[in-house]
Amino acid sequence: VLVTGGAGYIGSHTVVALHEAGRDVVILDNLSNSSAAAVDAVRALTSPDLAFIEADAADRESVGRTIVDHGVDEVVHFAAFKSVEESVERPLAYYDNNVGSTIGVVEAMLEYGVSRLVFSSSCTVYGEPASVPVTEASPTGAANPYGRTKLICEQLLADVAAGSALDV
């Protein structure tokens, strides 16, 4: 299982859980929101030789090489910027990173025949909900660039899945 953003908070916990479940895991992270110390901490909890690739998930070639080199057959995609406040200040960076990384990952998956993807979205895609609890059937209406990038990625994945063997 390839975990993009696997050195981040949620990604690192997912890597540990997958390892404990007996899965072979590869972390791909550019360390823009994490550090090598996080990878070392994950290795201390799992295996000292847990694979780590320092690369950007938007780089289709790096993702593809990782898929081939490690026999990846599933992807969990966490790699994204995640601050609502920062997204308002730097919307282009959020669109470039969040949408770009999803495109890079999906292009590599399709090129190398990987069809199983878990995508980490956000409740921000629902904006200010009219009622709670929010369900996947609730209307979307992201109110900030971060939420809109996640919603665009959801729509992109639905479009790709409709026209390919991608299982999101």
Side-chain angles (χ1 to χ4, degrees):
V1 179
L2 172 61
V3 180
T4 67
Y9 183 78
I10 297 172
S12 63
H13 284 76
T14 300
V15 169
V16 171
L18 287 167
H19 177 81
E20 288 174 349
R23 303 303 304 272
D24 291 326
V25 184
V26 180
I27 296 172
L28 185 138
D29 201 302
N30 67 6
L31 302 179
S32 66
N33 279 322
S34 56
S35 71
V39 176
D40 292 339
V42 169
R43 285 177 169 156
L45 294 170
T46 59
S47 171
D49 60 347
L50 182 87
F52 167 63
I53 309 302
E54 186 173 350
D56 193 318
D59 180 353
R60 180 188 56 78
E61 290 181 17
S62 292
V63 176
R65 198 167 34 256
T66 302
I67 288 170
V68 171
D69 291 351
H70 295 276
V72 168
D73 60 2
E74 298 173 311
V75 176
V76 179
H77 180 43
F78 289 116
F81 291 159
K82 61 188 181 313
S83 167
V84 169
E85 182 178 340
E86 184 183 55
S87 78
V88 173
E89 297 166 4
R90 303 178 53 223
L92 289 175
Y94 271 68
Y95 280 90
D96 182 51
N97 185 72
N98 295 0
V99 178
S101 67
T102 302
I103 290 170
V105 167
V106 171
E107 284 180 337
M109 289 176 66
L110 293 173
E111 183 174 348
Y112 293 100
V114 177
S115 62
R116 297 185 67 189
L117 172 69
V118 173
F119 173 69
S120 177
S121 190
S122 170
C123 195
T124 60
V125 302
Y126 299 105
E128 295 296 325
S131 63
V132 289
V134 174
T135 70
E136 289 190 26
S138 298
T140 56
N144 56 68
Y146 168 66
R148 284 190 285 275
T149 66
K150 289 302 204 170
L151 185 55
I152 287 168
C153 290
E154 287 185 12
Q155 293 166 337
L156 178 152
L157 292 169
D159 289 344
V160 172
S164 72
L166 189 65
D167 181 17
V168 182

